[in-house]
Amino acid sequence: MEINKSSAPTPYSILCVVGARPNFMKMAPIIEAFAALGPEINVCLVHTGQHYDVAMNHQYFEALGIPQPDINLDVGSGSHTTQTANVMLRFESVLDTKNPSAVLVVGDVNSTLACALVAVKKGIPVIHVEAGLRSFDRAMPEEINRVLTDQISELLFITERSGRENLLREGISKHRIRFVGNVMIDTLHHNLKKAVPVSKILKNSDSEKFLTGHDGYGVLTAHRPSNVDDPDTLRSLLEIAIKISAQLPIIFPMHPRTRDMIQKFGLNKILDVPTVLQLPPMGYLEMLGLMKDARVVLTDSGGIQEETTALGVPCITLRDNTERPITVDEGTNTIAGLDSAKILTIFDEVMLTGGKAGRTPELWDGQASTRIAAEVLDWLKNGYPNK
């Protein structure tokens, strides 16, 4: 574990935690918004190392303009229990050294809950960005992380109004909740002009002619254990993608977990068709470029449901539920699960009509991080009024 000494102390210190790549997109605009406040808030960035692919992490940090972490816990992989325990053990010494005014966590990964637990047990208030999201599926590890992190947080920032109702129903005081919008969309707005065009992505992959003769393309992403850890389920997912690719070529940036499972189950030959292009994991700007010009995106990612809504691109979610209902109620997202007939029906509608038009949800205006920074500073100056 490497710890670098921070700069001279300032009135308030916020220890910001990232652990996995979805966290990076959420933390980037928050750090920038804190910096815009000047010397009143000092930020210390801690990377737990939950996602430990050095090359991919560097690619995201560089693309998003995130400063290198002040502290890296280097926890690496492991079971949910092992990973959470290792983060807690290593994070405790950081809090003893830094003694921050508050700990800010984002999202719902294991690092989010682990660091929040250590902080609250040491009497350090926790700030949770992206609070109140619920799939109501306790079989999802992320759902457990969300619920428990919200229960122990003192300041909770929500991305959509349904989050407030979820939190109130769980007994959380309304005085701890702030509706600020979606920091993921801040990052999207900031980087849209820098998105890597699909032509360049294909050129770099030696697949320049993949889209020749076709009117557009679709994008597929899949990584959740419920979709890729069972051979029958994964086979069904891949077969659906192949059926769709007969009408619209599919670009498939493959998550390392998915790639490993395809190899483990001997499913490589299923994808040996000219209409499905397998690519390695993409950086943020590459994924943004793929999504913004796609005719449809098929995914089991929560963040991509939000990004496609902001981009106005039809999204078919390969899950039976979503913790982001606003993407269905107001956005471009449709929940399909892995029902082949349902997916194909939705896809046919996209091809026929262009799919759900949707609209931009309230406060998804690229300014959520600015609101968060202002609220945090006011909260600190007023002596943690909700604590």
Side-chain angles (χ1 to χ4, degrees):
M1 179 176 68
E2 179 186 349
I3 300 182
N4 299 325
K5 290 185 178 180
S6 60
S7 57
T10 52
Y12 304 107
S13 60
I14 303 293
L15 206 157
C16 295
V17 176
V18 294
R21 284 183 284 279
N23 293 166
F24 305 162
M25 284 95 84
K26 296 162 191 172
M27 192 63 77
I30 296 172
I31 291 176
E32 186 175 346
F34 279 141
L37 294 177
E40 289 189 279
I41 289 184
N42 178 52
V43 170
C44 175
L45 181 61
V46 176
H47 185 358
T48 68
Q50 179 178 329
H51 274 184
Y52 54 91
D53 185 316
V54 176
M56 281 295 291
N57 287 353
H58 176 74
Q59 190 175 12
Y60 269 76
F61 272 67
E62 185 176 33
L64 298 173
I66 306 174
Q68 286 301 305
D70 300 283
I71 301 169
N72 196 323
L73 304 184
D74 293 318
V75 298
S77 62
S79 69
H80 287 287
T81 301
T82 299
Q83 199 171 64
T84 302
N86 284 337
V87 172
M88 293 179 72
L89 288 169
R90 300 186 187 194
F91 189 61
E92 184 173 29
S93 63
V94 173
L95 291 185
D96 290 339
T97 302
K98 296 294 183 180
N99 191 29
S101 305
V103 169
L104 186 147
V105 295
V106 295
D108 53 22
V109 300
N110 290 337
S111 297
T112 300
L113 175 59
C115 292
L117 276 170
V118 177
V120 77
K121 284 182 174 288
K122 285 185 166 291
I124 299 171
V126 174
I127 302 165
H128 188 199
V129 174
E130 202 181 68
L133 297 179
R134 296 292 181 269
S135 68
F136 304 102
D137 180 1
R138 293 294 179 95
M140 292 178 65
E142 298 91 342
E143 184 78 352
I144 304 301
N145 293 343
R146 292 179 203 117
V147 171
L148 295 180
T149 301
D150 286 342
Q151 284 295 323
I152 58 178
S153 295
E154 288 296 331
L155 195 58
L156 300 99
F157 292 109
I158 60 174
T159 62
E160 55 183 89
R161 291 193 182 275
S162 68
R164 181 186 299 274
E165 301 308 312
N166 293 335
L167 295 172
L168 293 176
R169 186 168 51 249
E170 293 169 9
I172 293 172
S173 168
K174 64 180 181 180
H175 302 294
R176 292 158 59 188
I177 304 168
R178 309 284 192 278
F179 175 39
V180 292
N182 193 330
V183 291
M184 282 274 285
I185 308 308
D186 292 17
T187 298
L188 185 147
H189 277 279
H190 183 73
N191 289 283
L192 195 54
K193 290 183 179 179
K194 296 187 288 183
V196 178
V198 66
S199 58
K200 184 174 182 180
I201 294 169
L202 296 183
K203 184 176 182 179
N204 291 344
S205 70
D206 297 323
S207 303
E208 290 182 80
K209 297 181 180 179
F210 177 69
L211 298 181
T212 301
H214 296 283
D215 183 17
Y217 63 92
V219 174
L220 168 66
T221 80
H223 73 281
R224 292 191 178 277
S226 58
N227 277 347
V228 305
D229 284 7
D230 177 79
D232 293 334
T233 302
L234 182 54
R235 178 186 291 275
S236 175
L237 188 153
L238 299 179
E239 289 174 346
I240 291 167
I242 291 167
K243 287 180 181 178
I244 287 174
S245 75
Q247 296 184 64
L248 185 73
I250 295 293
I251 299 175
F252 185 11
M254 202 173 293
H255 190 280
R257 181 190 195 101
T258 309
R259 178 199 60 215
D260 292 345
M261 290 301 175
I262 287 173
Q263 292 175 351
K264 177 181 177 180
F265 301 141
L267 300 175
N268 305 69
K269 290 185 178 180
I270 291 180
L271 289 175
D272 190 17
V273 295
T275 50
V276 175
L277 177 62
Q278 301 172 58
L279 294 178
M282 296 282 104
Y284 177 75
L285 296 179
E286 287 78 12
M287 273 304 300
L288 189 55
L290 285 179
M291 288 189 295
K292 78 179 184 68
D293 291 326
R295 291 186 65 177
V296 65
V297 175
L298 299 97
T299 188
D300 58 11
S301 162
I304 288 178
Q305 295 171 41
E306 295 176 326
E307 290 167 325
T308 48
T309 279
L311 292 168
V313 174
C315 177
I316 302 175
T317 292
L318 308 173
R319 288 164 46 190
D320 292 324
N321 52 54
T322 180
E323 64 280 2
R324 293 161 167 86
I326 201 166
T327 64
V328 176
D329 297 339
E330 298 184 18
T332 59
N333 186 22
T334 305
I335 304 298
L338 284 181
D339 183 327
S340 180
K342 187 172 183 179
I343 293 170
L344 293 173
T345 297
I346 299 167
F347 172 73
D348 287 342
E349 183 67 21
V350 170
M351 296 296 286
L352 184 65
T353 69
K356 292 175 69 174
R359 63 181 181 183
T360 303
E362 183 182 7
L363 296 188
W364 287 27
D365 56 2
Q367 299 300 315
S369 53
T370 301
R371 288 186 281 268
I372 287 171
E375 289 279 1
V376 168
L377 181 58
D378 182 68
W379 178 71
L380 291 169
K381 284 182 173 180
N382 283 285
Y384 314 99
N386 311 314
K387 194 171 185 296

